């Protein structure tokens, strides 16, 4: 088992208070949060039982998603970010940012997030400067209002094509 902090009060947890507002049998999905025991990002799925007072709840860890996001990072040339519609960072290459607001932890991504949320597309791509470097940004908007944002420096994304174009041009000039 896990040892909860002495000051832990289930009644103050959002998943608990929101589930009590439901009808028996209805399911509540909490916003992501940092788990008190593991320190990992997770979310809770809970349901009010038929007596109208008891709740069954299960936490789902987002650690595997975090691991996948960390693997995407490529020498500062590509980054993956998972953020919800309230600007909470759910996944990022630096785990110290998890659970924090985007504007506080990653202000360089505020313009990216603004572009993303101003459009009602499930998938989106656009070019933007991040930390003074041109990036191509690819976004997927999920049904639970999370945004997976992948940014790749344009040079990394297109360099093979540029090299091929230069080689072909030089070959054509020589022939």
């Amino acid at each position: 088992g896990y040892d909860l902090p002495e000051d832990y009060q289930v009644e103050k947890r959002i998943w608990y208070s929101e589930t009590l507002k439901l009808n028996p049998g209805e399911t509540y999905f909490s916003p992501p949060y940092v788990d008190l025991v593991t320190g990992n990002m997770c979310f809770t799925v809970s349901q009010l039982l038929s007596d109208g007072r008891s709740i069954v709840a299960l936490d789902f860890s987002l650690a595997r998603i975090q691991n996948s996001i960390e693997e995407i990072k490529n020498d500062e040339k590509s980054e993956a970010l998972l953020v919800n519609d309230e600007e909470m960072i759910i996944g990022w290459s630096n785990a110290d940012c998890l659970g924090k607001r985007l504007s506080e932890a990653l202000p360089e991504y505020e313009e990216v997030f603004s572009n993303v949320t101003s459009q009602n597309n499930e998938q989106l791509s656009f070019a933007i400067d991040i930390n003074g470097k041109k990036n191509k940004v690819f976004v997927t908007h999920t049904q639970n209002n999370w945004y997976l944002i992948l940014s790749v420096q344009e040079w990394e994304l297109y360099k093979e094509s540029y090299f091929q174009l230069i080689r072909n041009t030089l070959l054509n000039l020589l022939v």
Side-chain angles (χ1 to χ4, degrees), residues 66 69-70 73 79-80 89 91-98 105-106:
Q66 176 61 25
I69 286 173
E70 288 175 3
K73 186 173 178 68
E79 294 277 3
I89 298 171
W92 177 247
S93 56
N94 178 352
D96 292 340
C97 295
L98 300 181
L106 299 169

Side-chain angles (χ1 to χ4, degrees), residues 30-97:
S30 79
Y33 61 93
V34 178
D35 185 72
L36 289 173
V37 176
T38 66
N40 292 329
M41 289 298 294
C42 70
F43 66 95
T44 300
V45 177
S46 52
Q47 191 173 72
L48 187 63
L49 299 179
S50 59
D51 66 6
R53 296 184 319 264
S54 302
I55 295 174
V56 62
L58 184 62
D59 288 344
F60 289 88
S61 173
L62 297 170
R64 290 181 80 186
I65 292 174
Q66 176 61 25
N67 291 341
S68 296
I69 286 173
E70 288 175 3
E71 288 178 13
I72 291 173
K73 186 173 178 68
N74 176 14
D75 300 327
E76 308 297 325
K77 296 174 183 157
S78 63
E79 294 277 3
L81 170 66
L82 185 61
V83 63
N84 70 7
D85 60 342
E86 296 174 359
E87 292 190 36
M88 178 191 288
I89 298 171
I90 303 166
W92 177 247
S93 56
N94 178 352
D96 292 340
C97 295

Side-chain angles (χ1 to χ4, degrees), residues 165-175:
L165 182 62
I166 292 169
R167 278 191 295 266
N168 289 346
T169 303
L170 288 174
L171 283 174
N172 284 332
L173 289 173
L174 292 173
V175 177

